Structures are given as C-alpha cells and as structure tokens.
Amino acid sequence: QKEVEQDPGPLSVPEGAIVSLNCTYSNSAFQYFMWYRQYSRKGPELLMYTYSSGNKEDGRFTAQVDKSSKYISLFIRDSQPSDSATYLCAMSADRDDKIIFGKGTRLHILP
Amino acid sequence: DTGVSQNPRHKITKRGQNVTFRCDPISEHNRLYWYRQTLGQGPEFLTYFQNEAQLEKSRLLSDRFSAERPKGSFSTLEIQRTEQGDSAMYLCASSLAPIQTQYFGPGTRLLVL
C-alpha cells in the first residue's frame, strides 16, 4: 500500500459545479497537508497548506483534513474552465521532513 | 520574475551521455529540493539541501546522480551515463526553513533516446 492514495481520474464536471477531490493516507505521523495544482508541462503550484485536522478556506477553495479517518479533501466552488489541471495532494510528518505526493487527479471543467 | 527558475527547460540526449540541470531558487530561500516526476505520477523526492549542505538523499538517487549547491544559492543535478528510464520531468523547489511551503520551478523535461 502506498503512503498516499489518490484517484487519478480523469474527473469531468460542468462549469459552475462544486468539485470534490480526495486523498487517503496510511502514515498517521503526517501532520502537514498541501494541495498543489499542476497545469500540463508546468511545475506544481501551491494552492492550500494546512496543519493537522480542520478546514481552511481561500476564495473558491476549501481544504479539509480528517486525521481520524486519514482522509483529506479539496473543494472547488463555482468551478471554471481555467481550473482544468491536475491536482496533487501532498503531506509530510514534520516541517523538516520530505513531502510525499499523491499521483494527482486530472480535472476537466466542461464549458 | 522572482520565482524558481530551471534551465534548460527541455533536454534530449542519447543513452550513455551525461546531462546537467540547473536550478535557481527564490533568493532568500535556504532550502532547495529536487524531485523527479514521470507521466501520471506525482513528484518523487530525490534530495534536498539546506544552504550548501545536502541533508537527505532518496534511495531513488542512484550513484549516477549527483547534486550540488556549492555556495548555497543555485544547484545543479547531474546524471551520468543516462538510461532511457531516466526520461522524466526534473523539478526543483525551494522553501524558507522552517516553513514547509515549497515553491516549484517549471521543471526540466529530459528525454533519453
């Protein structure tokens, strides 16, 4: 079992819909959780960064962490075609620890 | 633009040749990371530096790979005797320790023929 599991998709949703992206993990030591967005042939771009359990909101994006279930989510409200990209979850056990990435979920927002 | 930069952006080489990539981090960042990403996968950690010290290397980093950050600023990643399995996107990221937030460069796409 990989440390971080993420459905690769692709996930296609109509413009304006709410998108839900998820990851599960096996290492209970993970405390820092991130979501990156990666456009084709570009480097990943940090979207959200959270510590421990709880919710964090930034504009149309909301990140949720449930450490008891080892499950994290990213919600995108009012999705736009420009949100079409690969979304990578990432996590680490400590500030000084390396980051472990999921495989990424390819998202297509249909106009 | 004060983000992370990487050069070259693309590299095509023949099997057995040596290649070197360069990464220039965000100027005040003391940590620099190298990752490798293959199609359909997330980035995989290779190594990282704090200032000029190389603090950790992944077991993915075979003896053919070497990374340096001689003055704690830019870094180079060299692959000797390239193999077709080395074809991937090589990503560099930097951060300001102890803050975990890493900022990625655009990557160098390597194709080994």
Side-chain angles (χ1 to χ4, degrees):
Chain A
Q1 180 188 12
K2 296 199 76 170
E3 278 192 288
V4 180
E5 299 278 1
Q6 185 175 11
D7 187 333
L11 177 63
S12 296
V13 299
E15 183 176 357
I18 296 175
V19 175
S20 173
L21 303 166
N22 311 292
C23 286
T24 59
Y25 61 95
S26 58
N27 187 347
S28 58
F30 288 145
Q31 297 189 81
Y32 296 87
F33 303 93
M34 291 140 275
W35 286 95
Y36 284 83
R37 177 175 62 196
Q38 187 173 26
Y39 292 111
S40 181
R41 299 183 180 275
K42 302 287 187 183
E45 170 195 8
L46 181 67
L47 282 178
M48 301 288 283
Y49 177 88
T50 54
Y51 169 71
S52 194
S53 286
N55 295 357
K56 185 174 183 178
E57 187 174 323
D58 184 0
R60 296 186 296 112
F61 299 92
T62 300
Q64 286 186 354
V65 175
D66 182 349
K67 290 188 69 180
S68 63
S69 301
K70 298 191 181 68
Y71 188 87
I72 69 170
S73 301
L74 178 71
F75 298 95
I76 307 174
R77 291 183 299 281
D78 187 25
S79 55
Q80 306 293 312
S82 58
D83 295 328
S84 298
T86 295
Y87 289 79
L88 298 154
C89 64
M91 45 199 81
S92 67
D94 190 87
R95 276 179 166 172
D96 290 330
D97 202 9
K98 60 182 179 288
I99 291 176
I100 307 299
F101 283 85
K103 285 187 175 184
T105 299
R106 283 184 296 139
L107 174 66
H108 298 293
I109 305 299
L110 307 172
Chain B
D1 187 351
T2 57
V4 178
S5 62
Q6 291 186 247
N7 287 289
R9 294 292 309 279
H10 304 275
K11 180 71 177 178
I12 300 174
T13 191
K14 293 182 179 178
R15 189 177 53 187
Q17 298 294 304
N18 299 344
V19 294
T20 300
F21 310 140
R22 175 177 170 130
C23 171
D24 287 89
I26 294 171
S27 59
E28 64 269 25
H29 285 185
N30 50 5
R31 287 205 173 173
L32 187 148
Y33 305 80
W34 285 100
Y35 293 84
R36 180 172 66 190
Q37 186 177 25
T38 54
L39 197 62
Q41 302 295 319
E44 293 178 294
F45 169 80
L46 293 178
T47 188
Y48 89 94
F49 295 83
Q50 175 142 328
N51 300 312
E52 64 273 11
Q54 188 172 19
L55 296 187
E56 186 174 350
K57 293 197 297 186
S58 165
R59 55 185 170 80
L60 293 175
L61 212 64
S62 76
D63 292 345
R64 297 183 298 104
F65 288 71
S66 62
E68 293 183 343
R69 194 182 184 199
K71 296 183 180 179
S73 56
F74 72 92
S75 175
T76 57
L77 177 68
E78 181 183 16
I79 310 174
Q80 296 183 324
R81 305 181 302 282
T82 52
E83 302 173 355
Q84 287 183 323
D86 297 332
S87 295
M89 172 86 93
Y90 289 85
L91 292 161
C92 175
S94 70
S95 71
L96 182 60
I99 299 170
Q100 180 60 282
T101 310
Q102 294 183 20
Y103 296 89
F104 281 81
T108 295
R109 187 172 294 275
L110 172 67
L111 177 61
V112 181
L113 301 176

